[in-house]
Structure formats: C-alpha cells, structure tokens
Amino acid sequence: MDILVIGGGWFLGKAVVEEALGRGWSVTTFNRGRSGVVLPGVRQVTGDRTSVEDLKRLAEQGPWDAVIDTSAAEQPPKVVLAGARALEGATERYVYISTVSVYAGWPDSPLVVGDPLMDGPADAGSEYGRDPEGWLGPNLYYGRQKAGGERAVLAAFGEQRSWLLRPGVILGPGEYVGRLPWWLRRAERGGQILAPGSVGKGIQPVDVRDIAHFAVEVAERPGGGVHNVTAPIGRDTMGSFLETCVEVTGRRGELRWVPDGLLLDHGVRQWTELPLWRTNEGVWLVDSESAYVAGFRCRPLEETVRDTWEWLQAGNVPVPHPRAAAHGIDAQREREILAAAALPR
C-alpha cells in the first residue's frame, strides 16, 4: 500500500504514520512542516492545504492507494472540498477523520450511525454556523463545520470511495488538547482532588493508536462507509478513569466527588474546566457497534492512561495548541468548591 497522510506530524497523524510504516507501507505526508516530526522512511511534501498551487503540486506526487485526512479539525468545508477535488484523480479512496459532533442530537441524545447530521454545506467557509458562545458552544459551529467537511469528501469521492470515521474524545500519548495530561498533572500534585459528578458516570474516550489502526485498516479496503469509533457504552466510568490517574501518579491525592448540581451552581465550565465532565444525557451514549463488526478494537482505558503518563514522564511535551489553555480548573477555585461541598446542605 502507498498512502498519503494529510497532517502526519503529531498525535493522530503521527500515530497513523507509525501504524502504516509498521505494516511496511509507503507513506507520504502533506503538512506545513512547522511542527511535529518527520519519521524515518516518510516522504514529506510541505505545503498549505488552503493553497490551490500547493494542492496541485501535491496531486502531482501521486498516485496513492488511499488518503487519510487527520488535519481537517479546524479547516472549513470549502478547504476540505478543494483538497478532495484536487486529489480525486490521484487516489483510490479517502479516509476522513470526523467527529461525533456532526450529529444534530449530540450531546443531548443517544446516537447511532444514520442519525440526522448538523447542517453544513460542502462549500461553506469558516464563518458558517459560527456561534457567539465560541468554538464548541452548543455544538453548533464545530458540528456544522465538520458535517460540511464530510459532505465535501462525499461530493468529491462519493459514498463508494469515502470512509468517514467519527470518534468522540481521543486520548493517548502525544495528546495536545490537554484533557488527560491535565488530570494526570492534577493527580500528581496530590491533596484533595475535585472529582466531578458521580463515580459511576460512563465515559467513552478512545486511544489515538486505536483510531490510527482502524483508519489504516479501512484505507486498505475497497468501497466506503461510516462508523462511530468510541469505547463501548458502559465499559469505562469517570470513577475508574480518575482512580487510574491517581494510581499511576503515585497515589498522592484523594478524590472528592462533588455532585453535578453544586458544580453547576458554581458556574464550572463543562467539558473544559473539569475535562471530560459534561451533564448532557447523550454525551457518552454513542453506539459504535458497526465499527466493532468491521474490526475496530479499543484497548482498556487504563492502558491509555498509563502509557500517557509514561510518555509525559519521559520528558515528552505535547505540541503547543491554543485549546490546551482552556482545560483545567484554577487551584483556588477548586479549593473553594471543595469547601462548599463539605458544608451541610
């Protein structure tokens, strides 16, 4: 197999490259070359996916058996569309890493493949669907943009040459958003740790290496399809996740569970101030059965936590990203909420 990875320098893109190289495949990457690494044996083409000239030059480097697009998270649909059209004649199929945020019902309702999607035209620009509440807001802007990205891929390659993979939260070594690294550093600091919600709340994060493995698997398969790619519903809980964070960092801290209502009363920002905490009913009820039938495998969350801690302890530093600054609660604010939780109610 000869594949092109759009991105390929860090986190998911790097994991995809490593997976493909491990199979003895030929790998070309396309990115700006400003961050991340170029792994030995990889042919790197530098350029900007927003540039028509760079896309034309890239297409001339083909053909490839498949393209795996790992870097479209912050690109508007029209950029995805231009790139897909430029590469349509240079590759057999297109694997697009999307998100569960494309669903109109996320995060409020349980989800299965085939549920209605957010609106978002294939040729939409970066302003389409923008919400004054910010990047995520009530899932309007991000979901619409990524839904438009999916439609862009389908417009260029059609259903029989497009693989659309929809993960939720991706964790693992190299994570740059800062969710798991923040919890690990908080556990390392010790003391009383504000644990949000309930110990038995189900969660569905998935390891970056498992997403990479599945993306490479489907890249080799003729045809196309759509899959949610999350951990099984009910397998993991917030309690087991945080207990593992405490364990691997040396048991310096003690979890203190604070109910949702009190956190909401104190205006704690869901999803970011206490990473992975969100009260919406459907946020962790995403059905990924079709992916498991197709061969997707999801390693234990405990393994992801341990490996990420080892990665950090080895002196590795995530690629700087502006979204990381939004994650984590201020220490003083945490103490105030814990004190309030200890008062008679």
Side-chain angles (χ1 to χ4, degrees):
M1 284 282 290
D2 192 347
I3 68 168
L4 168 66
V5 179
I6 303 179
W10 39 284
F11 199 42
L12 178 56
K14 181 172 177 287
V16 167
V17 170
E18 290 173 336
E19 177 70 29
L21 290 175
R23 299 175 182 224
W25 293 6
S26 296
V27 179
T28 301
T29 60
F30 176 66
N31 52 55
R32 293 176 299 176
R34 298 177 184 174
S35 62
V37 297
V38 180
L39 296 175
V42 171
R43 178 176 61 144
Q44 183 186 36
V45 178
T46 58
D48 191 329
R49 65 184 298 165
T50 66
S51 166
V52 174
E53 292 77 15
D54 287 355
L55 290 173
K56 180 180 178 181
R57 178 170 54 85
L58 172 64
E60 292 171 349
Q61 305 298 311
W64 298 278
D65 297 306
V67 172
I68 302 179
D69 188 350
T70 69
S71 71
E74 297 173 19
Q75 298 293 341
K78 69 177 184 179
V79 171
V80 178
L81 180 62
R85 284 176 170 168
L87 294 170
E88 189 277 328
T91 184
E92 290 297 318
R93 63 194 67 93
Y94 200 112
V95 180
Y96 181 68
I97 309 299
S98 186
T99 170
V100 297
S101 294
V102 299
Y103 289 107
W106 191 87
D108 298 316
S109 305
L111 296 173
V112 298
V113 171
D115 281 347
L117 304 184
M118 301 286 286
D119 60 347
D123 58 353
S126 59
E127 293 303 312
Y128 185 86
R130 185 174 293 279
D131 184 87
E133 295 188 35
W135 175 250
L136 281 173
N139 193 38
L140 293 179
Y141 180 63
Y142 185 60
R144 285 170 169 170
Q145 289 277 307
K146 290 292 280 189
E150 288 192 5
R151 293 184 178 103
V153 173
L154 292 171
F157 280 81
E159 292 183 358
Q160 296 304 310
R161 298 172 62 198
S162 303
W163 289 100
L164 308 177
L165 306 185
R166 298 169 179 161
V169 170
I170 305 176
L171 304 178
E175 184 208 330
Y176 60 85
V177 175
R179 297 181 176 106
L180 177 51
W182 186 85
W183 277 118
L184 286 167
R185 293 303 186 191
R186 176 61 193 92
E188 178 188 30
R189 196 166 75 244
Q192 291 194 348
I193 302 169
L194 196 170
S198 62
V199 65
K201 175 72 173 180
I203 59 175
Q204 293 180 274
V206 65
D207 193 290
V208 64
R209 295 163 293 185
D210 296 330
I211 296 291
H213 177 86
F214 191 53
V216 169
E217 283 282 310
V218 299
E220 194 173 17
R221 301 176 188 175
V226 182
H227 296 294
N228 298 330
V229 277
T230 66
I233 295 174
R235 188 192 72 172
D236 302 308
T237 66
M238 198 69 175
S240 62
F241 168 68
L242 293 184
E243 283 288 351
T244 303
C245 289
V246 171
E247 177 187 345
V248 302
T249 55
R251 292 207 168 275
R252 297 181 176 91
E254 181 180 7
L255 298 173
R256 294 295 188 187
W257 291 91
V258 176
D260 293 336
L262 185 59
L263 297 175
L264 294 173
D265 289 344
H266 280 78
V268 177
R269 294 190 308 276
Q270 298 189 50
W271 209 235
T272 55
E273 204 167 4
L274 291 170
L276 304 188
W277 171 67
R278 198 160 184 168
T279 60
N280 306 69
E281 180 182 354
V283 65
W284 300 117
L285 292 175
V286 180
D287 178 62
S288 296
E289 181 62 25
S290 71
Y292 287 97
V293 171
F296 176 60
R297 296 294 178 265
C298 183
R299 73 191 66 202
L301 182 55
E302 291 82 0
E303 181 179 336
T304 302
V305 173
R306 291 180 185 277
D307 289 352
T308 303
W309 179 242
E310 291 178 3
W311 185 82
L312 291 169
Q313 288 296 97
N316 295 295
V317 178
V319 172
H321 195 280
R323 291 176 66 188
H327 289 84
I329 192 168
D330 175 77
Q332 178 60 34
R333 180 162 158 78
E334 180 185 28
R335 288 191 292 268
E336 292 171 355
I337 295 174
L338 286 171
L343 295 174
R345 302 187 71 189

